[in-house]
Each structure stands twice: as C-alpha cells, then as structure tokens.
C-alpha cells in the first residue's frame, strides 16, 4: 500500500488529495452461510481486515493521506450487519452509510477545483454543441 501511495506522490499527486477506504467489517456468520449456498469455502476473517484497517490508519499518520476507516465505523453501529447483503458485499443501507462517510471528505477536497464544463442546467439540450462551442 505504501508503494502505491508513493507512486502517486512521486507522479506529482499530493498526499492531501489521496483518500483511502478500509474494507468494511464482514459478518462471518452471514458470509459463511452465503458461501455454503454457493458451494464455496469461506476464507475471510475480521482479524485480517482489522489488521489491514490499522495499517491504513498508520499511513494516514506517516504519509498524510486521509483514511476512512470503514471497518471501525461499521463496528461502531449497533446494526452494522444490515449494511451487508450477504455478509461481505454492501447492501443499499451499507452503500448509504459509506456515502455519508465519504462524501463530506470528497466535497472538501473537490470544492477548490475549477469548473471546466458548464452546469448541466445551462446546457441547451436541443443543440448542446452551442453551449460548448461558444
């Protein structure tokens, strides 16, 4: 992970523009059941996910990137398993929860970007080329 971030920063992308998301927690019971139904072995563990989340958090301190620790944020919610559709993948509620965590960070980082294209409401839908060629 460090090498990947350093590659970005070496290519001129500021660490302040990088946001890492840790994987969310998994429901071992739900995912084991799902795997059984699919005829697969379940090979994931929350212990490994927690370790990965902790390593990401260290990168926030050492490299100055933002980290959204979904693993910890999920566990802080009493109903966190409802955020998962099969114990691993996000449900509709899980996607909403992740969006609530990520959107404010992205809005803060993207607010300073120049507007290159016109707002969609300003585009002439009958002849859009008139909007872009003027």
């Amino acid at each position: 992970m460090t090498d990947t971030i350093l590659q970005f920063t070496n290519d001129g992308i500021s660490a302040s523009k990088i946001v890492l998301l840790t994987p969310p927690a998994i429901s071992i019971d739900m995912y084991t059941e799902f795997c059984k139904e699919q005829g697969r072995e379940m090979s994931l563990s929350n212990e490994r996910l927690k370790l990965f989340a902790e390593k990401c958090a260290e990168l926030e301190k050492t490299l100055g990137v933002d980290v959204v620790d979904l693993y910890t944020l999920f566990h802080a919610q009493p109903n966190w398993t409802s955020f998962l559709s099969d114990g691993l993948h996000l449900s509709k509620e899980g996607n909403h929860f992740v969006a609530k965590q990520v959107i404010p960070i992205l809005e803060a980082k993207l607010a300073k970007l120049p507007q290159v294209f016109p707002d969609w409401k300003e585009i002439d839908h009958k002849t859009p080329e008139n909007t872009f060629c003027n």
Side-chain angles (χ1 to χ4, degrees):
M1 181 75 65
T2 301
D3 290 343
T4 302
I5 293 169
L6 290 175
Q7 181 65 49
F8 284 127
T9 58
N10 290 339
D11 287 341
I13 298 171
S14 167
S16 66
K17 294 182 179 180
I18 298 172
V19 180
L20 298 178
L21 304 180
T22 71
I26 60 171
S27 169
I28 297 295
D29 294 340
M30 286 173 66
Y31 194 56
T32 298
E33 183 62 31
F34 176 78
C35 288
K36 280 183 190 175
E37 291 170 4
Q38 302 298 314
R40 295 188 227 155
E41 260 187 63
M42 204 290 284
S43 61
L44 300 175
S45 77
N46 269 313
E47 291 77 23
R48 285 189 290 179
L49 290 175
K50 182 179 179 186
L51 180 61
F52 186 79
E54 290 168 352
K55 294 295 181 186
C56 286
E58 288 175 19
L59 294 176
E60 183 173 27
K61 294 172 188 156
T62 60
L63 298 179
V65 298
D66 284 328
V67 174
V68 180
D69 185 355
L70 294 174
Y71 181 86
T72 301
L73 290 167
F74 265 49
H75 277 290
Q77 304 302 309
N79 63 334
W80 68 270
T81 57
S82 70
F83 296 162
L84 303 168
S85 62
D86 59 8
L88 175 65
H89 299 99
L90 297 176
S91 65
K92 181 177 179 181
E93 294 84 6
N95 280 302
H96 285 286
F97 180 79
V98 170
K100 281 199 242 178
Q101 310 309 311
V102 175
I103 287 173
I105 293 169
L106 294 180
E107 283 178 339
K109 290 184 178 298
L110 300 175
K112 297 176 184 125
L113 291 178
Q115 185 171 345
V116 177
F117 295 105
D119 187 285
W120 68 271
K121 293 175 280 202
E122 299 169 4
I123 298 172
D124 178 353
H125 70 278
K126 293 181 181 173
T127 54
E129 62 275 6
N130 291 342
T131 304
F132 292 101
C133 295
N134 291 332

